[in-house]
């Protein structure tokens, strides 16, 4: 079946503008995760959704970052008033009990804030 | 949170050589995954291995949970093995939840 998809693939924006990043998880996966990867770095956790439970927002770096997951499927990560330090690759992953908890990652959105 | 340390940070090999990548973690885990990030940035699942040993072709992995480390073995390396290898773990009793990533091992395989 289809894997995790993300859009857009690349996004260039000006400092101060808002951006929205989209993630479509694997069908049937109940858990969805957002991470980001700065140049040459490992992955930094941002937020985690599991079914109808309250999301784990502990990784969001500031209140400019927010995310929602509609209908238990598609998720949108919003960054308001973007700053240059927000430039990174934003990666989405999904998992389920049936997949033995393995997290499967999308191709990422490369965000560049000028 | 859990600390994850990977070694070596960089590894350069001639094609055909074998290598061992190590992942140490600071607390008990109930999920450990190895990923390969290819030059295009895609994270590819290699192993889900919270304990024990698994093999997949030229790659194998062993996790000794009681001693808090995992090893990834690459035999007869090929140029297509180049990229960054990440180890990631999850702690706690929950069966789902965030992963903590190491900083990765950058592998370069020369022909």
């Amino acid at each position: 079946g289809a894997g995790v998809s993300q859009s857009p693939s690349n996004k260039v924006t000006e400092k101060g503008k808002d951006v929205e990043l989209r993630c479509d998880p694997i069908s049937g996966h109940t858990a969805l995760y957002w991470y980001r990867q700065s140049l040459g770095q490992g992955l930094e956790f941002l937020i985690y959704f599991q079914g109808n439970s309250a999301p784990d927002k502990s990784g969001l770096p500031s209140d400019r970052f927010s995310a929602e997951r509609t209908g238990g499927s598609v998720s949108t990560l919003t960054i308001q008033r973007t700053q240059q330090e927000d430039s990174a690759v934003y990666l989405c992953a999904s998992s389920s009990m049936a997949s033995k908890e393995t997290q499967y990652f999308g191709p990422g959105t490369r965000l560049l804030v000028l | 949170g859990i600390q994850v340390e990977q070694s070596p940070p960089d590894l350069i090999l001639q094609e055909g050589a074998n290598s061992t990548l190590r992942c140490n973690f600071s607390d008990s885990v109930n999920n450990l995954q190895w990923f390969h990030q290819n030059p295009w940035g895609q994270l590819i699942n290699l192993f889900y291995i919270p304990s024990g040993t698994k093999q997949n072709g030229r790659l194998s992995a062993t996790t000794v949970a009681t001693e808090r480390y995992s090893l990834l073995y690459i035999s007869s390396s090929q140029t297509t093995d180049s990229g960054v290898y990440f180890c990631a773990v999850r702690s706690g009793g929950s069966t789902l939840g965030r992963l903590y990533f190491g900083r990765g091992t950058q592998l370069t395989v020369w022909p």
Side-chain angles (χ1 to χ4, degrees), chain A residues 59-85:
Chain A
L60 295 178
S62 77
D63 58 9
R64 296 186 294 105
F65 288 72
S66 64
E68 62 178 22
R69 189 178 185 192
T70 54
S73 180
V74 171
S75 177
T76 301
L77 177 68
T78 300
I79 309 173
Q80 295 179 312
R81 305 181 301 283
T82 52
Q83 304 293 312
Q84 289 182 333
E85 59 263 30

Side-chain angles (χ1 to χ4, degrees), chain B residues 17-74:
Chain B
N18 302 328
S19 61
T20 301
L21 283 60
R22 186 176 179 102
C23 171
N24 292 334
F25 41 95
S26 62
D27 206 344
S28 61
V29 300
N30 61 16
N31 181 344
L32 188 147
Q33 292 182 237
W34 282 97
F35 296 90
H36 175 213
Q37 188 169 42
N38 65 22
W40 295 270
Q42 176 70 54
L43 276 167
I44 300 165
N45 293 71
L46 297 178
F47 294 103
Y48 166 78
I49 186 165
S51 64
T53 298
K54 289 186 178 179
Q55 181 158 4
N56 184 4
R58 297 181 295 103
L59 274 61
S60 64
T62 295
T63 297
V64 183
T66 53
E67 297 187 21
R68 300 181 183 170
Y69 74 88
S70 183
L71 301 173
L72 178 69
Y73 304 96
I74 305 174

Side-chain angles (χ1 to χ4, degrees), chain A:
Chain A
V4 178
S5 60
Q6 293 186 244
S7 60
S9 300
N10 297 280
K11 177 71 176 179
V12 181
T13 190
E14 294 179 348
K15 178 182 174 181
K17 295 286 181 66
D18 298 351
V19 295
E20 287 189 350
L21 312 179
R22 177 187 169 103
C23 172
D24 283 87
I26 293 172
S27 177
H29 279 196
T30 57
L32 186 148
Y33 312 78
W34 284 98
Y35 297 85
R36 74 176 176 182
Q37 184 177 27
S38 301
L39 188 62
Q41 302 297 311
L43 274 75
E44 172 191 11
F45 167 75
L46 297 177
I47 188 169
Y48 155 55
F49 296 90
Q50 169 52 39
N52 296 320
S53 303
D56 175 1
K57 303 180 181 180
S58 61
L60 295 178
S62 77
D63 58 9
R64 296 186 294 105
F65 288 72
S66 64
E68 62 178 22
R69 189 178 185 192
T70 54
S73 180
V74 171
S75 177
T76 301
L77 177 68
T78 300
I79 309 173
Q80 295 179 312
R81 305 181 301 283
T82 52
Q83 304 293 312
Q84 289 182 333
E85 59 263 30
D86 299 334
S87 296
V89 178
Y90 289 80
L91 291 153
C92 175
S94 69
S95 70
S96 73
M97 292 297 294
S99 69
K100 295 186 179 179
E101 309 158 25
T102 302
Q103 293 189 18
Y104 294 92
F105 281 79
T109 293
R110 287 152 187 78
L111 174 66
L112 178 60
V113 182
L114 301 176

